[in-house]
Amino acid sequence: MSKLELVAPTLFGIESVVAKELKSLGYDDIKVEDGKVTFIGDETAICKANVWIRSAERILIKLGEFDATTYDELFEGAKALPWEDWIPENGKFPVDGYSLKSKLHSVPDCQAIVKKAVVERLKKKYKKEWFEENGPLYRIKFSLMKDKASLMLDTSGEGLHKRGYRAISNKAPLRETLAAAMVMLSDWRYDRPLLDPFCGSGTIAIEAALIGLNIAPGLNREFSAEKWGKIPKKLWLDTRKEAFDLIKKDVELNIKGYDINNDAVKLSKSNAEKAGVDEFIIFKNVPLKDLKTDDKYGIIICNPPYGERMGELKEVERLYREMGHIFKSFDTWSYYIITSHDEFEKLFGKKATKRRKLYNGMIKTTYYQYYGPRPPRK
């Protein structure tokens, strides 16, 4: 097995959640930075991280890092890396990346330079001038940050938020990785009620059910690295078999998702069925004004409307005031609310116990956390 430096890019604000997940998988050599978590593992770690990590965006192999203030330095640095250890003669290797606070600020030019460098390296290995690139996908990712270049191979393919259950969605859906992180930040456990009063496409409720049942989020999808010759297929088979064996079969969940829009409720039910958790979640057409429960010591996690579009702000502010009034009746509950509105606490009528800055896509938001009383010990 190889000793590899692996990188898990994250949405800003949930790096610590990803680090905690990696530790739970048995990886201790972890470095947390803005927007990414780096860890050391082998080929098995590539399989486990892809199948099990809920809150990271993808899993990358870091091949090298070097200073690059000129295109020559970028070319020579990229060419010096051992691409032939991973990319076969027929491998498909597109290049993409980004540049921040660096002299080499033209991303298309950097893409072309890195591509050319990799081709030159592979020419020497395979003794040929042209590569058809009709085989497995080996997507190359680069980052240029403050004139330091990092070059990586993407093992995931599609982003890890693509669980496979949400082929269709309502407008402005919450990304699955962020929804999972919101649930994990709440410290919700499977034996407590969970309610999302603005369920939309059902993402928060579905991710909670997957967590409660210990279903690995990547269990039913494919990853680019499954077709790589360097990673034995047996590692993927063993990882999936272990994940199947670890699913909790005897758990009862109390998860509800409500929405004022009946089409959203239908969509949530459809997505939950695709995820295999429909029997564990109750979705209903319930407007906020009718919200009530007999359950105690539950957790509300929600992504209400933000009022980002013109003409919606006043309506959303009325909604936040109504939330503050209605949530008072949930006196033993904790609630966790994400929104981009800077005046949310004032409108809601209560200061949060804790706040966390998060990004929902490109929208800067705050995750307001209101801690209720702990449930009595059983």
Side-chain angles (χ1 to χ4, degrees):
M1 289 290 183
S2 308
K3 186 177 180 181
L4 305 169
E5 187 173 1
L6 302 172
V7 181
T10 77
L11 295 171
F12 285 103
I14 61 173
E15 297 88 349
S16 63
V17 180
V18 174
K20 188 175 180 181
E21 286 196 84
L22 288 167
K23 284 179 182 176
S24 73
L25 289 177
Y27 303 105
D28 295 315
D29 196 348
I30 293 171
K31 182 181 178 184
V32 178
E33 300 174 76
D34 286 345
K36 66 180 179 181
V37 180
T38 303
F39 64 107
I40 305 300
D42 54 17
E43 287 83 355
T44 302
I46 293 173
C47 305
K48 279 194 167 185
N50 273 300
V51 169
W52 276 105
I53 295 295
R54 300 180 189 278
S55 55
E57 295 305 301
R58 54 186 68 245
I59 303 298
L60 311 173
I61 303 169
K62 187 175 181 181
L63 289 194
E65 189 171 79
F66 51 87
D67 293 328
T69 57
T70 68
Y71 288 122
D72 282 342
E73 287 176 344
L74 180 61
F75 178 83
E76 294 300 331
K79 186 182 173 185
L81 299 177
W83 300 102
E84 69 279 3
D85 287 355
W86 292 93
I87 303 175
E89 191 172 346
N90 69 336
K92 187 188 303 180
F93 51 102
V95 179
D96 61 53
Y98 64 89
S99 176
L100 291 173
K101 301 178 182 177
S102 295
K103 293 181 178 67
L104 303 179
H105 53 78
S106 171
V107 170
D109 287 341
C110 292
Q111 285 175 303
I113 292 293
V114 171
K115 180 77 175 186
K116 183 179 178 183
V118 177
V119 168
E120 290 302 314
R121 176 84 185 199
L122 296 181
K123 277 183 181 180
K124 188 175 179 181
K125 164 68 176 178
Y126 296 116
K127 305 293 190 289
K128 62 187 297 185
E129 291 297 312
W130 178 258
F131 295 94
E132 294 182 22
E133 297 192 46
N134 57 3
L137 177 64
Y138 294 78
R139 187 177 297 279
I140 296 170
K141 297 275 187 182
F142 70 84
S143 70
L144 277 160
M145 175 68 77
K146 297 180 180 177
D147 296 325
K148 188 172 288 291
S150 294
L151 276 83
M152 297 155 283
L153 279 174
D154 179 7
T155 71
S156 302
E158 286 196 298
L160 294 182
H161 68 283
K162 296 288 186 72
R163 316 286 208 222
Y165 66 74
R166 201 171 70 178
I168 53 174
S169 66
N170 65 338
K171 61 182 180 179
L174 189 72
R175 186 170 282 199
E176 293 89 333
T177 44
L178 178 56
M182 288 166 61
V183 174
M184 288 186 281
L185 284 168
S186 77
D187 288 329
W188 172 77
R189 284 175 45 86
Y190 67 89
D191 56 354
R192 294 182 70 178
L194 186 144
L195 169 64
D196 178 2
F198 308 97
C199 69
S201 55
T203 311
I204 291 173
I206 292 168
E207 290 297 320
L210 293 173
I211 291 168
L213 297 166
N214 201 37
I215 297 175
L219 195 55
N220 296 312
R221 56 157 285 180
E222 292 185 350
F223 306 96
S224 289
E226 290 189 62
K227 297 179 180 177
W228 295 4
K230 194 172 173 69
I231 303 178
K233 291 191 182 299
K234 187 176 185 302
L235 294 184
W236 292 101
L237 289 170
D238 289 348
T239 299
R240 283 201 168 90
K241 183 181 184 306
E242 180 187 40
F244 272 115
D245 291 343
L246 289 172
I247 293 173
K248 294 176 179 175
K249 309 287 199 305
D250 55 352
V251 168
E252 290 186 14
L253 301 179
N254 181 356
I255 300 175
K256 297 182 177 74
Y258 297 159
D259 204 286
I260 195 171
N261 186 322
N262 200 44
D263 288 338
V265 173
K266 290 177 183 176
L267 180 59
S268 296
K269 289 178 178 179
S270 174
N271 289 338
E273 187 176 359
K274 291 190 185 84
V277 296
D278 51 312
E279 64 182 288
F280 298 95
I281 309 172
I282 295 171
F283 289 110
K284 279 186 179 180
N285 181 203
V286 178
L288 181 66
K289 66 181 178 64
D290 295 334
L291 194 65
K292 58 186 176 181
T293 184
D294 293 326
D295 293 324
K296 302 291 184 183
Y297 303 103
I299 292 180
I300 291 174
I301 305 176
C302 63
N303 175 41
Y306 299 170
E308 294 286 324
R309 292 184 177 86
M310 290 290 290
E312 292 181 352
L313 190 58
K314 292 295 183 186
E315 185 181 337
V316 162
E317 289 177 348
R318 281 196 296 272
L319 177 70
Y320 292 167
R321 291 188 185 96
E322 187 180 6
M323 286 170 62
H325 174 70
I326 289 171
F327 284 17
K328 284 179 183 176
S329 63
F330 290 69
D331 55 343
T332 64
W333 286 55
S334 301
Y335 20 97
Y336 297 77
I337 304 152
I338 188 171
T339 177
S340 63
H341 200 301
D342 292 334
E343 298 293 318
F344 173 78
E345 287 170 302
K346 184 178 177 182
L347 295 162
F348 188 70
K350 186 177 182 181
K351 287 280 187 183
T353 312
K354 190 175 181 180
R355 302 167 201 80
R356 194 183 192 102
K357 295 296 181 185
L358 298 176
Y359 274 83
N360 182 2
M362 298 300 293
I363 303 172
K364 187 178 179 181
T365 65
T366 301
Y367 194 37
Y368 296 96
Q369 303 167 59
Y370 294 85
Y371 299 168
R374 288 185 175 275
R377 291 188 177 185
K378 294 181 180 179

